[in-house]
Amino acid sequence: MEILKLGIFQLKELYKKKEVKPSEVVSLLLEEIYRRDKDIHSYLYINEKAIDQAKRVDEKIEKGEDLKELEGIPISIKDNICTKGIPTTCASKILENFIPPYDATVIERLKEKGAIIIGKTNMDEFAFGSSTENSAFGPTRNPHNLERVPGGSSGGSTASVASNLCFASLGSDTGGSIRQPSAFCGVVGIKPTYGRVSRYGLIAFASSLDQIGPITKNVKDNALLLKIISGKDKMDSTSVDIEVCDYLEFLNKDLGKLKIGIPKEYFVGGIDKEIREKIFEILKILEERGMIIEEISLPHTDYGIATYYIIATAEASSNLARFDGVKYGYRSKNYENLMEMYMKTRGEGFGEEVKRRIILGTYVLSSGYYEAYYLKAQKVRTLIKNDFEQAFKKVDIILTPTTPELPFKLGEKKDDPLKMYLSDIFTVNVNLTGLPAINIPCSFSSNKLPIGVQFISPYFKEEILLNLSYKLENELKGGDK
Ligand code: GLN
């Protein structure tokens, strides 16, 4: 049991010393998943074949061969990232039986380093949501308190890491879906700069916002995974050809006195009192460590949610047009002609939130309203981007709470989409600008629920995010050094 609590580097050390075999770790993990995941429901699919792969790593160790960077490390994958031969459903009935014939680029890169895919994790259907309650296959629960949500939409991934039912996970973040559930589950989750990681094989939600990123138990593991999955990919023309920093090596760099900006707009109204207090404690720690804290302003902050929900739904309505019962997935059984087949397939295959977003997205793109909504939203997006650009002329990093609230109860917001949408108030602007940001677990509330802090850096400066996070983590709990 204790073994499952280890980070990737500690596990690698045990393999090296031959203190435990990869096949033993995988069997233990599978046993634990079957025993404990009944309550949490972080997994939609468990990969039994993982054990054969682990046995091959056993043999390599036996023969004294060197292991690759992730060899024998079990990793879970959000179910909107294509895995060859392993079902990929987006937690939707419409893709219930879909088995991709190819691997996403991030999966190929993990496999090249020897990672073991242990299973596919639950999510809000098509990544639409903030609680993982929108899954067509039932919700995931927060491992810290089973009455509470794990956040979303990558709630299955963050819950699987937080409950030690894998050693790390990959999620996707369109408006906060890595950072918000990482905050709710008390794990480290990064949304890289748009273009840093290939989206090839990620089932698209909103193509101008989506990014894949690692979710881990500690910062060092996150740096390792990010290094492996980052970089130009010829299969994704929006991936950028900028050299990938050695994030691991950079962790120990002394960056001197960083200037940290605190946007005043993130501390007004609605924010939970305990979260606010804890964030101020973090500021004090950073100040004591020699950082310079400065108040800044991001004046268009309040427009973020409205802008995001126009752009994200517009892109989603277009991306989801491909699910029509012809090429893949579910097809209705009762139809008389082609049009009826499309309509019934989509009517029966999509859940409520997916339909809501397709309707909203189609509306904002319709010829009569395009200028009033979509075009306007794109202009506001530029204003939000300019706010951040101005701010980064003054400071190196921006610090905010990751979420305005603690993990809420299942059912609490499910019937009130607007309330649910507000969960992302501190994360969506980062996606609208394309900037990178990370969630670091920083504390617990009085009722023992995790609280997270978010760092945002300039474009392609993930190494600074990780470096600062590593320092904070060591300060708070010793980390995995
Ligand atoms: N919760 C946000 C939404 O519902 C963000 C989702 C995401 O990042 N995939 O759209």
Side-chain angles (χ1 to χ4, degrees):
M1 259 297 282
E2 289 300 312
I3 285 183
L4 300 187
K5 292 190 180 155
L6 300 178
I8 294 177
F9 286 88
Q10 295 160 321
L11 183 62
K12 279 165 58 149
E13 202 50 39
L14 292 192
Y15 287 165
K16 204 161 146 196
K17 292 196 208 136
K18 296 194 181 179
E19 283 181 22
V20 66
K21 289 186 196 167
S23 65
E24 290 166 350
V25 172
V26 170
S27 323
L28 190 61
L29 199 50
L30 291 174
E31 223 172 85
E32 283 295 304
I33 292 173
Y34 284 120
R35 193 169 71 82
R36 287 196 283 128
D37 204 45
K38 282 200 290 289
D39 298 330
I40 301 168
H41 195 218
S42 57
Y43 282 94
L44 290 178
Y45 180 85
I46 300 157
N47 183 20
E48 298 274 349
K49 289 197 189 119
I51 196 80
D52 302 330
Q53 199 184 334
K55 280 184 187 153
R56 289 196 289 277
V57 188
D58 289 358
E59 284 164 25
K60 271 185 96 170
I61 297 176
E62 207 48 48
K63 286 190 209 146
E65 290 176 28
D66 282 343
L67 296 188
K68 296 183 224 162
E69 267 174 307
L70 290 176
E71 205 144 20
I73 310 293
I75 291 180
S76 71
I77 306 290
K78 187 176 181 180
D79 211 22
N80 59 351
I81 300 176
C82 286
T83 39
K84 188 175 176 176
I86 295 179
T88 301
T89 69
C90 274
S92 180
K93 202 176 150 194
I94 212 154
L95 281 177
E96 192 165 5
N97 300 312
F98 176 58
I99 300 182
Y102 69 100
D103 274 327
T105 299
V106 290
I107 301 297
E108 259 178 18
R109 291 186 178 174
L110 289 184
K111 284 184 176 171
E112 269 163 28
K113 300 291 180 193
I116 297 179
I117 309 298
I118 192 78
K120 300 299 290 284
T121 53
N122 201 8
M123 55 185 280
D124 287 295
E125 185 175 2
F126 282 102
F128 299 169
S130 310
S131 67
T132 315
E133 291 168 290
N134 292 336
S135 166
F137 309 119
T140 298
R141 289 168 184 272
N142 193 317
H144 293 276
N145 180 332
L146 295 177
E147 283 173 17
R148 309 255 167 179
V149 302
S153 64
S154 313
S157 283
T158 57
S160 70
V161 174
S163 55
N164 298 311
L165 294 179
C166 66
F167 286 85
S169 191
L170 289 188
S172 69
D173 191 312
T174 305
S177 277
I178 289 177
R179 290 159 288 151
Q180 186 257 16
S182 291
F184 276 14
C185 290
V187 295
V188 179
I190 194 167
K191 182 208 87 80
T193 310
Y194 185 79
R196 178 76 297 180
V197 176
S198 168
R199 290 181 295 115
Y200 179 70
L202 168 68
I203 297 177
F205 163 1
S207 311
S208 78
L209 303 163
D210 297 341
Q211 269 293 285
I212 296 173
I215 295 163
T216 55
K217 297 177 188 176
N218 60 57
V219 177
K220 196 171 168 188
D221 291 357
N222 210 284
L224 172 67
L225 287 190
L226 186 64
K227 183 179 86 153
I228 291 170
I229 63 172
S230 287
K232 176 75 186 159
D233 172 22
K234 66 176 189 325
M235 302 303 281
D236 174 6
S237 61
T238 64
S239 67
V240 177
D241 199 2
I242 292 181
E243 204 192 325
V244 180
C245 171
D246 186 337
Y247 301 120
L248 269 178
E249 210 185 281
F250 201 90
L251 287 182
N252 291 311
K253 271 225 161 99
D254 182 5
L255 299 182
K257 285 184 180 220
L258 287 179
K259 262 197 187 165
I260 301 182
I262 311 300
K264 61 171 192 255
E265 292 81 4
Y266 282 63
F267 290 88
V268 288
I271 169 169
D272 181 275
K273 220 175 108 247
E274 277 190 273
I275 296 184
R276 190 198 185 92
E277 276 165 19
K278 297 293 179 196
I279 299 292
F280 281 109
E281 280 172 27
I282 297 296
L283 285 179
K284 232 198 246 137
I285 295 177
L286 292 171
E287 213 165 18
E288 278 162 17
R289 269 237 162 209
M291 311 290 165
I292 301 159
I293 312 288
E294 208 173 279
E295 187 179 274
I296 55 163
S297 172
L298 298 167
H300 297 92
T301 297
D302 280 356
Y303 300 102
I305 288 283
T307 308
Y308 168 81
Y309 274 95
I310 290 171
I311 294 174
T313 56
E315 293 186 23
S317 71
S318 153
N319 273 325
L320 268 58
R322 74 192 66 175
F323 302 105
D324 55 8
V326 176
K327 295 182 284 290
Y328 20 59
Y330 176 79
R331 179 184 297 176
S332 172
K333 305 224 165 14
N334 322 298
Y335 58 88
E336 311 233 307
N337 55 46
L338 182 64
M339 195 47 83
E340 206 177 45
M341 190 282 278
Y342 289 153
M343 282 163 46
K344 291 221 164 130
T345 296
R346 288 167 70 82
E348 292 159 19
F350 288 140
E352 197 177 289
E353 180 63 20
V354 177
K355 287 179 190 160
R356 182 179 294 122
R357 294 197 186 201
I358 292 174
I359 293 169
L360 186 59
T362 310
Y363 177 78
V364 299
L365 286 176
S366 61
S367 62
Y369 293 100
Y370 180 89
E371 285 188 21
Y373 293 110
Y374 185 72
L375 200 64
K376 190 62 141 290
Q378 291 291 19
K379 289 181 181 166
V380 180
R381 183 179 191 173
T382 305
L383 295 176
I384 293 172
K385 188 165 168 266
N386 292 346
D387 280 358
F388 280 90
E389 268 163 22
Q390 289 307 319
F392 282 126
K393 285 186 185 152
K394 291 196 216 122
V395 296
D396 304 299
I397 290 276
I398 294 172
L399 182 153
T400 78
T402 309
T403 62
E405 78 232 308
L406 295 167
F408 44 90
K409 291 204 168 119
L410 269 88
E412 203 176 311
K413 301 189 183 196
K414 191 149 179 357
D415 300 322
D416 189 343
L418 283 183
K419 242 187 186 172
M420 189 73 95
Y421 295 171
L422 285 172
S423 305
D424 301 303
I425 194 154
F426 295 157
T427 50
V428 290
N429 285 355
V430 162
N431 300 73
L432 289 170
T433 60
L435 292 165
I438 194 167
N439 172 72
I440 299 297
C442 66
S443 190
F444 285 90
S445 65
S446 50
N447 55 350
K448 299 195 176 64
L449 296 168
I451 293 176
V453 59
Q454 171 174 248
F455 294 136
I456 309 166
S457 79
Y459 296 106
F460 298 102
K461 292 287 179 227
E462 284 82 355
E463 59 270 25
I464 301 188
L465 287 183
L466 290 160
N467 178 293
L468 184 62
S469 304
Y470 191 55
K471 290 200 177 101
L472 179 62
E473 180 185 66
N474 284 335
E475 201 72 29
L476 293 172
K477 60 171 182 176
D480 177 13
K481 291 181 199 134

